[in-house]
């Protein structure tokens, strides 16, 4: 049987930085409020002519180079994004494949909001274990600034742009294999976090649709409470299902939405400070890109070593959630 190994990581954050101080001149907020309630200090913002696919390509190039896999051996690209280059089609994954110079590759996007990276990891694992694909490039890429309402202080302080990518490859060695992935969703909570306009569910002639285009709207406080409850339950279950405890985890890599959510879930798992990967202060919430960007941060800091076990954990619009037990398995 083929197993799926997490071979490499790469990420990219656009150059321009938007600080809390700058936001305080745009909406009624302060650096103190944002820092205390979210842990965010700044976020990166893509330039006007830099699309989600451009961010994804830069992250992907690093992941491919670090994997040791030849470009022509990649047989599938999956992108997780809620801010695609184009609404409906073509998919951002196909645009990325062309920009990378890949031909004859299966390419598609999925929409699972901030849980997107865990979802595409599970799809890559399933395709590899079934023997249908061997080398799958997965990319979480977001230009959230393109769907953010910069007059809404409840959301605009949270989100940033960026991309992260990983190569998931077939291996015969079970020790290298991704151990387990849980994914879930509950559409009953769909209205907590959504882009209400622009799709088939919105009236085309409504003023709201014209004014709001595809901006995100969130019931922040309710989302916060469901996030803490769902994430804590989900990570406890995946650990128990695999006879593991928090002590077996070298790197706990949660979705970077809010420092208070991360702390609450980390405390419930009795995680020590050094185990929890934190990038929320410098990138804010980059949705599907947040987990791979965080993994890339510890990789580039020399803190992620071969064989070390990561616990990934995400939550987002849909509502969706997911967790994964992933040893880092670069090609030896
Ligand atoms: O990634 C996908 C999932 N997303 C999340 O997990 C996000 C979850 N939610 C959150 O992170 C938090 O709910 C927020 C950071 C969005 C908000 O923090 P909160 O502690 O839940 O605040 P709140 O919404 O309960 O609002 C408290 C007060 C309100 O004022 P009043 O009604 O008490 O007078 C808000 O109007 O804070 C006010 N407020 C602000 N004040 C200054 C809301 N946003 C701001 C702001 N600056 N930016």
């Amino acid at each position: 049987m083929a197993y799926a190994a997490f071979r490499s990581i790469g990420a990219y954050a656009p150059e321009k930085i938007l600080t809390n101080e700058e936001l305080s001149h745009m909406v009624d907020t302060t650096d103190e409020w944002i820092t205390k309630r979210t842990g965010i200090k700044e976020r990166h913002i893509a330039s006007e002519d830099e699309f989600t696919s451009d961010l994804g390509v830069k992250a992907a190039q690093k992941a491919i180079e670090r994997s040791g896999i030849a470009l022509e051996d990649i047989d599938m690209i999956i992108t997780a994004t809620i801010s695609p280059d184009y609404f409906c089609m073509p998919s951002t994954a196909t645009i990325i494949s062309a920009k990378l110079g890949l031909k004859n590759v299966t390419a598609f996007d999925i929409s699972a909001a901030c849980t997107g990276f865990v979802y595409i990891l599970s799809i890559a694992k399933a395709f590899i274990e079934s023997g249908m694909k061997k080398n799958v490039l997965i990319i979480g890429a977001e230009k959230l600034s393109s769907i953010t309402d910069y007059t809404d202080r409840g959301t605009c302080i949270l989100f940033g742009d960026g991309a992260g990518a990983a190569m998931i490859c077939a291996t015969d060695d079970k020790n290298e294999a991704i151990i387990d992935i849980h994914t879930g969703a509950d559409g009953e909570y769909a209205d907590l976090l959504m882009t209400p306009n622009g799709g088939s569910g919105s009236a085309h002639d409504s003023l709201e649709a014209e004014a709001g285009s595809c901006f995100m709207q969130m019931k922040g406080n309710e989302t916060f409470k469901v996030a803490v409850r769902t994430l804590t339950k989900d990570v406890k279950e995946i650990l128990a299902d695999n006879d593991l405890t928090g002590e077996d985890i070298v790197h706990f890599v949660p979705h970077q939405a809010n420092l208070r959510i991360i702390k609450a879930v980390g405390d419930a798992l009795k995680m020590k400070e050094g185990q929890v990967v934190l990038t929320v202060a410098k990138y804010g919430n980059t949705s599907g890109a947040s987990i791979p960007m965080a993994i890339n941060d510890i990789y580039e800091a020399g803190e992620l070593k071969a064989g070390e076990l990561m616990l990934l954990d995400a939550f987002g619009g849909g509502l969706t959630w997911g967790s994964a037990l992933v040893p880092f398995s670069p090609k030896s």
Side-chain angles (χ1 to χ4, degrees):
M1 179 191 165
Y3 298 105
F6 191 106
R7 284 273 184 250
S8 66
I9 189 75
Y12 172 74
E15 249 170 65
K16 189 183 162 208
I17 288 174
L18 178 62
T19 64
N20 290 350
E21 212 277 321
E22 286 169 285
L23 276 166
S24 73
H25 299 289
M26 296 159 65
V27 286
D28 182 14
T29 192
T30 59
D31 172 41
E32 194 197 352
W33 192 96
I34 302 171
T35 306
K36 199 168 152 207
R37 299 287 183 121
T38 71
I40 300 168
K41 295 300 284 183
E42 57 191 35
R43 64 292 288 144
H44 291 244
I45 303 292
S47 59
E48 223 167 275
D49 58 357
E50 205 173 17
F51 302 151
T52 297
S53 61
D54 297 314
L55 312 183
V57 163
K58 287 189 172 138
Q61 282 166 334
K62 283 193 194 162
I64 296 166
E65 192 193 314
R66 290 167 180 171
S67 72
I69 300 291
L71 205 55
E72 58 273 19
D73 290 334
I74 295 173
D75 42 23
M76 182 153 91
I77 300 183
I78 320 171
T79 301
T81 186
I82 52 166
S83 49
D85 285 14
Y86 302 103
F87 183 48
C88 299
M89 61 183 168
S91 72
T92 302
T94 59
I95 297 167
I96 291 175
S97 71
K99 287 181 179 172
L100 287 172
L102 285 168
K103 305 258 185 250
N104 282 330
V105 70
T106 305
F108 58 95
D109 294 352
I110 67 111
S111 168
C114 306
T115 319
F117 189 76
V118 177
Y119 268 61
I120 55 178
L121 187 62
S122 74
I123 298 167
K125 179 176 181 287
F127 266 92
I128 288 170
E129 288 177 353
S130 71
M132 286 177 73
K133 301 289 178 190
K134 284 196 165 54
N135 297 304
V136 183
L137 172 62
I138 60 170
I139 305 164
E142 300 287 9
K143 186 174 176 177
L144 294 180
S145 58
S146 68
I147 56 166
T148 297
D149 178 357
Y150 284 98
T151 65
D152 174 15
R153 69 176 181 173
T155 53
C156 74
I157 55 144
L158 301 171
F159 299 107
D161 302 337
M167 280 301 311
I168 312 301
C169 305
T171 177
D172 296 330
D173 183 353
K174 198 174 178 190
N175 293 318
E176 292 187 328
I178 295 169
I179 297 171
D180 196 8
I181 306 181
H182 283 190
T183 50
D186 186 348
E188 289 294 321
Y189 292 107
D191 68 331
L192 290 192
L193 182 48
M194 68 190 305
T195 52
N197 300 315
S200 66
S202 65
H204 290 278
D205 58 355
S206 80
L207 284 176
E208 215 187 11
E210 275 171 36
S213 72
C214 282
F215 290 156
M216 288 180 280
Q217 292 179 13
M218 180 171 68
K219 293 177 183 164
N221 195 266
E222 285 171 63
T223 309
F224 185 101
K225 286 176 195 153
V226 186
V228 173
R229 200 169 60 234
T230 310
L231 285 174
T232 306
K233 183 171 173 284
D234 193 45
V235 282
K236 280 185 173 168
E237 275 174 9
I238 199 169
L239 287 171
D241 284 357
N242 293 281
D243 295 322
L244 296 168
T245 70
E247 284 177 17
D248 297 307
I249 305 303
V250 183
H251 305 286
F252 175 45
V253 192
H255 169 48
Q256 309 284 316
N258 185 314
L259 186 60
R260 290 187 294 144
I261 298 178
I262 296 171
K263 282 209 163 130
V265 179
D267 288 351
L269 289 178
K270 299 193 173 59
M271 289 284 171
K272 299 196 183 77
E273 216 172 282
Q275 286 174 287
V276 185
V277 180
L278 290 173
T279 55
V280 68
K282 59 179 181 177
Y283 300 136
N285 182 347
T286 56
S287 191
S290 102
I291 287 182
M293 287 175 82
I295 298 173
N296 184 69
D297 253 51
I298 51 171
Y299 176 81
E300 290 191 351
E303 290 164 13
L304 179 60
K305 309 269 164 39
E308 289 182 343
L309 184 58
M310 299 184 278
L311 170 60
L312 319 183
D313 158 35
F315 178 89
L319 293 177
T320 56
W321 59 87
S323 53
L325 286 164
V326 185
F328 181 53
S329 305
K331 218 171 171 184
S332 47

